[in-house]
Every structure is written in C-alpha cells, then in structure tokens.
C-alpha cells in the first residue's frame, strides 16, 4: 500500500514540476502532465524499478484506472454545468447541429480514406477495421479541452460553443461506434445483429441520461440538508464518486446487454444539478479546487499508459498518420460546414475545428472493444498512436485557437495569488 501512496505522490509532484517547464515554453499544463506520465512510465524512468518511483509496467499503470475513472467523472460533471438553460436557448441549436454533423463528417472522411487503403492493400487493413476506425475518429477528448479552458480562463462565444459540442460529440460518437462496430462484426461473421447495432447503443444513451437526471435531482435534494459550504462541497464530491461507481455497472435484460456511459451519466448529473440548484456555480468553483490533484493524476496516468511498443511495427505509424490527417480534415471541415449552416460567428467558424482535435479516453475505450475483431489489435495500436500524437499536440493547438479567437487573455508576469491576475493559475 505504501508503494501506491508514494507513486501517487510522485505523479502529482512530477506533473506539477513539469508544468513549470511547460510554462516557460508557453505550453498548456495538460501537455506537461502527459509528458510527465511518459517519463514516469514503463518505457522511461519506470525501467529503473525503483519502488514507488513511476510505473514499472503498463499493467501497473492500468491498475490506477479507478482514479482515472473518478477524475473523468468530475470532468464530465463540470462540463454538464455548462448546459444551463439560458445558454441552451441562445446556442443550443448551433451546438446540436455542429456536434452531430462534425462527428458524422469526420467518420465519413476517415472511412473513405481507410476503405480506399484496404482496397489498395487488403492484407494491410481489413474492411471491418477500416469501418471501425472511422467511427472511433468521431470521438473527442473532453478532459483535455476543459483543462485548457480552465487553465487560461477562456471565455467567449467559441469557448461556450466548444464545451457544448464536446459533450454532444460523445453521445454521437457512441451511436456511430456501436453501429459501425456492429456492421464490422457482421462482415466477419456473415450476419448482422439489429440488437447490437441499433437497440443497445440507443438503450445505453437513454439509460445514461435517465440515471444522470435522477442523480442530479437527488443531489440537489440532499444538498438542502446542509448549509455550510464545506459540507455541501463534501456531499457533492461524495455524490459524484457514487455516480461514477453506479455508471460502471453492467447487466443483462434477456439477450440485451445494458450498461451506462460514464461521461453521459456525469454530464447529465451536472446539467440537471446546475439548472435546479440556486448555488451551483459557487459550489462548482469549490469542487474544482478540490479535484485539481485528481485531474493531474488523470493526465499523468494517461501518459504512463501510452504504449510505445506500437513503433516496433512500421505499418502502425503509417496507418496512424493517414488516420490523423483525415480525422483532422474531417473535424476542421465538418465543424466549418456545420457552423456556416447555423450562421455562427466567423471567428467561431474559423477556429472551432482545431479545438476538437484532442482524442483520448473515449477513443481508447472504443478501441479496447474493437480488439474482438480479427485484426482488432491493429485498430487498438492505430488509436494508441493517434492518441499519443493528439494528446501531446492537441492541447497546444486548442490554446492557440482560443488565443487567436481572442478568448484567452495574454499572460503577464504578475503574481497568481492576486485575484485580479487569476488568469496566471
């Protein structure tokens, strides 16, 4: 047990120290945490086998996944708090249109490129894997995006629309992946399951939104029993952890497999809570302060879990580069087209595509499911390669896009402890 505590402490301290280096290079803290994870991972300092100092194997890093899941729950809960009715009335139509269209267009872009690659060289990539990778491409990482927004206190039309879109993107990505993966399995098995392709993904979304709404309502009712700020914060933290735990449950109803999406459940919890609780904004600011170390752990562990063995097979980077190029084009043009359709501000239309590039946990979860395909290991490794690139480069591009849009204030040299200079945190 002491080894785990030492390792957790080293991760937090290492991530924070690396963020100081990143600050000198004008890089987002998220990138620093990921690099710290790589350094503490099994392919670098972890090889030294010093007790408690880094992760000695990928399995050891994955053993901390419960902390990552908890952090992801709080991140999703925070994003849910952006879905306030006043804001939805103003840009809800734009967010839904952009969220759906950019995801679908991205899937089409990647599908066309990889299916063409399959017909050029069938032995390199199967048709089922090409279709599955296209659906995985739709997923965007909400965690990295939210962390960049929080670190630089970004605010404006682009930031507001971005946070709504990344939340909708996960629901759309879930449907696209379930349908594509069902088709991929049908191609390999010779028969298609309507239950797996249509019923189960729709049921998962409905169950997730229902559970999230219930938990948000119950949280608001429980908060009424407490009046001190510290106790209200404590009950909020405990309730989000409870929500994360429940959302990880799975069960069967006849032949139908039922489960929840952790992201959707926690987002819906945050959405309902922020719209019915009078003091939700103040409470969320306090919860954000409590979860900072947990968020650092999330990204450091994510960095440590990146498998550098993928570079041993030269085909993986080659397919990965094609995947990254066409996914990036799909996100950029998909969001640009949908923004013009909904008459978004030109500044938003120009920059939002770049902010949707980060990809991580959701895509990795999909890739893990895709391992069931005949060459599923190829799918997983291509996604691992893209995540490695996107997670290191994506936050930097997001920051630059928000700065170009004028929604991040230039950093000065004043003291961060001064409330007037809070953007220095």
């Amino acid at each position: 047990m002491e080894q785990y505590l030492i390792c957790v402490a080293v991760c937090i301290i290492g991530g924070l120290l690396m963020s100081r280096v990143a600050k000198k290079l004008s890089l987002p803290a998220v990138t620093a945490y990921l690099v710290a994870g790589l350094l503490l991972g099994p392919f670098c300092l972890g090889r030294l086998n010093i007790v408690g100092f880094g992760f000695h194997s990928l399995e050891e890093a994955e053993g901390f996944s419960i902390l990552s899941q908890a952090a992801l729950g709080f991140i999703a809960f925070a994003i849910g708090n952006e879905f306030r009715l006043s804001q939805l009335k103003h840009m809800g139509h734009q967010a839904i249109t952009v969220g759906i269209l950019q995801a679908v267009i991205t899937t089409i872009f990647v599908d066309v490129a990889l299916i063409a690659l399959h017909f050029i060289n069938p032995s390199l990539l199967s048709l089922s894997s090409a279709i599955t990778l296209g659906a995985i491409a739709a997923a965007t990482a909400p965690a990295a995006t939210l962390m960049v927004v929080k670190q630089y206190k970004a605010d404006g039309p682009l930031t507001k629309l971005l946070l709504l879109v990344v939340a909708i993107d996960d629901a759309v990505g879930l449907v696209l992946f379930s349908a594509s993966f069902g088709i991929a399995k049908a191609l390999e098995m010779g028969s298609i399951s309507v239950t797996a392709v249509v019923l189960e993904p729709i049921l998962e979304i409905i169950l997730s939104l229902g559970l999230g709404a219930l938990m948000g309502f119950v949280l608001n009712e429980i908060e009424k029993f407490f009046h001190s700020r510290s106790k209200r914060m404590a009950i909020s933290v405990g309730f989000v952890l409870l929500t994360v735990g429940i959302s990880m449950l799975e069960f069967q109803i006849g032949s139908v497999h039922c489960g929840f999406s952790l992201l959707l459940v926690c987002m819906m919890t945050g959405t309902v809570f922020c719209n019915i609780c009078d003091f939700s904004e103040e409470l969320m600011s306090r919860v954000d302060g409590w979860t900072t170390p947990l968020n650092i752990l999330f990204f450091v562990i994510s960095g440590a879990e990146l498998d550098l063995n993928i570079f041993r097979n030269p085909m993986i980077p080659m397919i990965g580069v094609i995947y990254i190029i066409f996914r990036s084009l799909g996100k950029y043009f998909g969001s640009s087209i949908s923004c013009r359709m909904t008459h978004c501000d030109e500044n938003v239309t120009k920059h939002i595509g770049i902010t949707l590039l980060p990809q991580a946990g959701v895509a990795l979860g999909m890739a893990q499911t895709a391992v069931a395909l005949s060459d599923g290991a190829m799918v997983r490794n291509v996604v691992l390669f893209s995540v490695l690139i996107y997670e290191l480069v994506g936050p930097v591009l997001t920051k630059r896009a928000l700065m170009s849009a004028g929604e991040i204030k230039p950093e000065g040299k004043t003291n961060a402890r001064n409330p007037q200079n809070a953007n220095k945190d």
Side-chain angles (χ1 to χ4, degrees):
M1 186 59 69
E2 64 274 11
Q3 294 180 23
Y4 282 97
L5 288 175
I6 293 171
C7 190
V8 166
V10 168
C11 286
I12 294 174
I13 295 169
L16 287 170
L17 291 176
M18 186 58 68
S19 71
R20 294 298 88 190
V21 177
K23 189 175 182 65
K24 297 292 183 183
L25 301 174
S26 297
L27 296 175
V30 175
T31 303
Y33 302 149
L34 289 163
V35 171
L38 278 172
L39 293 175
L40 292 170
F43 300 97
C44 195
L45 297 177
R47 286 185 176 273
L48 300 176
N49 289 320
I50 301 174
V51 175
F53 189 73
F55 303 93
H56 305 152
S57 66
L58 288 172
E59 291 73 21
E60 186 176 324
E62 290 167 0
F64 286 79
S65 62
I66 189 62
L67 294 175
S68 298
Q69 294 291 85
L72 201 55
F74 281 101
I75 289 166
F77 182 70
I79 290 177
N81 270 266
E82 300 298 324
F83 280 81
R84 297 183 181 273
L85 289 177
S86 57
Q87 195 163 307
L88 288 175
K89 289 176 183 177
H90 178 62
M91 56 173 48
H93 171 65
Q94 292 178 333
I96 292 171
T97 303
V98 175
I100 294 174
L101 279 183
Q102 58 83 23
V104 172
I105 291 173
T106 299
T107 295
I108 293 172
F109 267 58
V110 177
D111 271 344
V112 169
L114 295 182
I115 289 173
L117 179 64
H118 161 74
F119 284 113
I120 293 171
N121 189 347
S123 63
L124 188 62
L125 185 70
S126 71
L127 183 59
S128 58
S129 293
I131 293 172
T132 303
L133 280 167
I136 294 174
T140 300
T145 303
L146 182 65
M147 289 294 285
V148 172
V149 168
K150 283 187 175 181
Q151 179 185 354
Y152 297 104
K153 299 201 167 32
D155 189 34
L158 173 59
T159 302
K160 288 181 172 65
L161 181 62
L162 171 62
L163 292 176
L164 295 177
V165 169
V166 294
I168 294 169
D169 182 271
D170 287 312
V172 179
L174 175 64
V175 173
L176 289 172
F177 174 75
S178 298
S180 297
F181 184 58
I183 294 170
K185 287 195 296 183
L187 289 172
E188 294 191 347
M189 298 172 62
S191 62
I192 190 166
S193 170
V194 177
T195 299
V197 175
V198 180
L199 182 59
E200 289 184 358
I202 293 176
L203 188 60
E204 181 172 335
I205 292 174
I206 293 173
L207 288 174
S208 298
L209 295 178
L211 175 61
L214 174 64
M215 299 301 278
F217 175 78
V218 175
L219 173 58
N220 179 62
E221 293 301 308
I222 292 178
E223 292 280 6
K224 293 177 182 178
F225 290 101
F226 303 92
H227 302 286
S228 72
R229 293 177 178 178
S230 58
K231 288 180 180 178
R232 281 177 169 173
M233 185 196 73
I235 196 65
S236 299
V237 170
F239 211 83
V240 173
L241 291 175
L242 175 63
T243 304
V244 170
I246 295 175
S247 67
M248 295 169 71
L249 298 175
E250 297 180 354
F251 54 95
Q252 291 277 139
I253 299 178
S255 61
V256 180
H257 176 266
C258 300
F260 304 97
S261 165
L262 184 151
L263 283 172
L264 288 182
V265 172
C266 293
M267 282 179 191
M268 192 62 180
T269 302
T271 299
V272 171
F273 179 68
C274 79
N275 282 290
I276 63 177
C277 179
D278 297 333
F279 48 85
S280 61
E281 287 193 52
E282 178 192 349
L283 192 57
M284 275 307 303
S285 64
R286 296 176 67 83
V287 172
D288 284 345
W290 183 89
T291 57
T292 297
L294 193 60
N295 291 335
I296 294 172
L297 276 174
F298 172 78
F299 288 104
V300 173
I301 293 170
S302 296
E305 287 178 330
L306 295 175
D307 188 354
L308 300 187
N309 284 320
I310 55 176
F311 292 104
R312 292 181 178 179
N313 182 354
M315 293 297 101
I316 300 297
M318 188 194 79
I319 298 173
V321 167
I322 295 173
Y323 173 90
I324 289 171
I325 290 173
F326 282 89
R327 179 181 179 271
S328 301
L329 290 173
K331 288 290 181 183
Y332 184 81
F333 288 108
S335 58
S336 179
I337 292 169
S338 53
C339 278
R340 286 190 170 87
M341 287 176 59
T342 53
H343 309 291
C344 290
D345 182 85
E346 186 61 32
N347 209 25
V348 174
T349 303
K350 181 180 178 182
H351 295 104
I352 191 168
I354 301 298
T355 64
L356 294 172
L357 293 183
Q359 188 174 46
V362 178
L364 289 175
M366 294 176 177
Q368 190 60 42
T369 302
V371 170
L373 297 173
S374 58
D375 62 344
M378 173 71 78
V379 174
R380 182 177 181 274
N381 287 335
V382 169
V383 174
L384 275 170
F385 174 79
S386 71
V387 166
L388 175 64
I389 304 301
Y390 276 127
E391 282 297 86
L392 294 176
V393 177
V396 178
L397 295 177
T398 298
K399 176 195 172 184
R400 290 185 177 179
L402 291 172
M403 286 189 71
S404 297
E407 299 192 6
I408 291 180
K409 295 178 181 178
E411 295 180 87
K413 296 184 179 180
T414 46
N415 194 329
R417 293 181 178 87
N418 187 337
Q420 294 179 347
N421 302 307
N423 65 303
K424 288 288 291 172
D425 289 346

